[in-house]
Structures are given as structure tokens and as C-alpha cells.
Amino acid sequence: MKRENLNDKSIWDEIYRKTGNRPGWDRPGADPNLYELIIKHGPAPSPRLLDVGCGNGRNVPVAHMAGALYTGTDFSESAILYCRELYEGRTFYLQDICQPLRGTELGGEKPFDIVMDCGCFHAIPPRSRKAYIDNIKSLCRSGGVLIVGSWFRENEVDREAPQYFPYLYLNEWFFNDRDIREFFGESFDLVETRIDREIYGDVDEAFAYFAMVKK
């Protein structure tokens, strides 16, 4: 398979099926970085939270701990079917976040208080970023919070060159504060960045969490 096709929908379905919905990036328990950023910057009480690229629902515990009303979305049918069975009573939408939302179930939702993406944006090829960002803007209310988790780009890493992760079968991109401001700054103010070099202990790269507030 050509490298440029590695991030398409069929590959993600294959990853979830082959790993029993426990892919290599899955970590047990609630991510403390996400939890603390939601508590610090998110509205209270009971904010409506959208998890973009929810995968196997690994961030449901984070939303539960933070008292948020959780909704998840992903374009992997395998992942969404798994989540719907595991987390009854919560809403999961099968949706490609880079495709038009008009007329879809997700597009019919009113804007969310918190939009959270932990590992989706950094897997989106550059040609699809504008569509992603436009949809994120429509899904987050004014004054709402956007949290984007991605690989952290050190100075020597080229932002436009994807890094290939053989154990994930994926190309993924690395970002820093300047990149995030460039991508999202028209509609969002970056209010905090956290860098965690330990959360994925079996990978040398650092992971960053960028918290933004919609203007």
C-alpha cells in the first residue's frame, strides 16, 4: 500500500479489528492532562463535550470524572459499533470530521461547550486540514473550549513532513504552539499548552495538549 494512502478510513477499521479495539495508543484510565484542562478551562456544571476521533471511547472516563455530558464521533465503523455496545446511553456518531456536516446527525447538534481531539488532528493530511478546522469551528460554541492533543514538534522537526509509525501503520504530523496559532488563530485563542514526555512511555516523542477558547 502506498504511504500516502495510509490514513484512509479502511486502515483505521483494520487497526481496530486487528487489535480487538485496543490499539497501540490506548492507555488505561483517564488521561490526567485532559481531565485537568477540562476542569481548568471548561464551563461548569455539566458541560456538553464532543470527543472528535473518539476511537474506542478511551476518553469516556475523562468526561465522566469531569462531570461532562459526553458525545463521541469517529469515521471508523468498527470503533463506533464497539463504543455503542460498551457505553450504552451515550451518543456516538459515525462521521468523517473532514466531510460536510450539513444534513448529518452530528451537524444537527447545537454547538458544544467543549470539543476535544486527542490524536485525530495530527493524523489528518494537510490537504484536509481546512475542512477539519471549519467543522470544528461550527461544532464549538462562542466562548467554548477546544483541546487538541498531538505529537509535539521540536524545532528540528519539519511540520510538513509526516512521521511514519510502523507499529500504527500511520503517517502522523507534529505541531507546536506556533503551528496551532497559525491553524486555529482566526477563531480560537491558545490559552495553555501542556507537554507530556511520559504518557506514551514506549515512544520517544513528546505529546502536547493545546487548550483554546473560541472567540
Side-chain angles (χ1 to χ4, degrees):
M1 182 173 290
K2 294 182 179 180
R3 289 271 289 269
E4 60 264 31
N5 293 330
L6 285 170
N7 293 41
D8 70 19
K9 193 179 306 184
S10 64
I11 290 296
W12 290 91
D13 280 332
E14 181 183 356
I15 290 172
Y16 284 111
R17 286 196 301 267
K18 283 187 173 180
T19 62
N21 293 294
R22 292 295 179 186
W25 58 85
D26 188 38
R27 291 295 182 270
D31 184 328
N33 297 290
L34 291 175
Y35 171 75
E36 290 168 12
L37 288 172
I38 291 171
I39 293 298
K40 182 175 180 180
H41 299 290
S46 303
R48 296 174 62 251
L49 181 150
L50 176 66
D51 187 7
V52 175
C54 66
N56 65 356
R58 64 183 176 134
N59 290 321
V60 171
V62 175
H64 178 74
M65 285 176 56
L69 305 176
Y70 181 96
T71 298
T73 185
D74 203 289
F75 74 173
S76 168
E77 184 176 10
S78 297
I80 290 297
L81 290 175
Y82 175 80
C83 288
R84 287 173 177 170
E85 182 177 348
L86 186 64
Y87 298 107
E88 291 185 23
R90 291 183 173 86
T91 301
F92 292 92
Y93 293 118
L94 180 62
Q95 177 65 44
D96 185 339
I97 197 61
C98 295
Q99 293 299 314
L101 297 180
R102 186 172 183 177
T104 67
E105 291 183 302
L106 178 58
E109 289 273 4
K110 68 179 183 180
F112 290 83
D113 301 309
I114 301 170
V115 176
M116 179 172 70
D117 168 347
C118 191
C120 178
F121 181 62
H122 71 192
I124 293 175
R127 65 181 180 274
S128 300
R129 286 177 191 157
K130 183 180 185 303
Y132 169 97
I133 293 168
D134 286 346
N135 282 339
I136 292 298
K137 288 192 293 187
S138 72
L139 290 167
C140 185
R141 70 167 176 80
S142 179
V145 173
L146 169 63
I147 301 171
V148 174
S150 83
W151 297 115
F152 179 68
R153 183 168 75 89
E154 310 285 357
N155 291 333
E156 67 273 13
V157 176
D158 182 354
R159 185 183 80 183
E160 298 307 317
Q163 310 299 308
Y164 177 57
F165 288 82
Y167 82 106
L168 296 178
Y169 326 110
L170 296 172
N171 288 328
E172 296 186 329
W173 285 259
F174 287 48
F175 305 119
N176 59 24
D177 288 28
R178 182 176 179 180
D179 303 326
I180 293 298
R181 288 192 177 98
E182 180 180 332
F183 294 141
F184 295 92
E186 180 180 331
S187 300
F188 293 89
D189 289 320
L190 180 64
V191 294
E192 184 174 352
T193 299
R194 291 192 178 198
I195 301 170
D196 192 329
R197 300 183 184 275
E198 305 295 332
I199 193 163
Y200 294 106
D202 53 344
V203 178
D204 291 337
E205 287 80 4
F207 200 80
Y209 301 79
F210 303 99
M212 294 166 264
V213 174
K214 190 175 182 187
K215 299 176 182 179

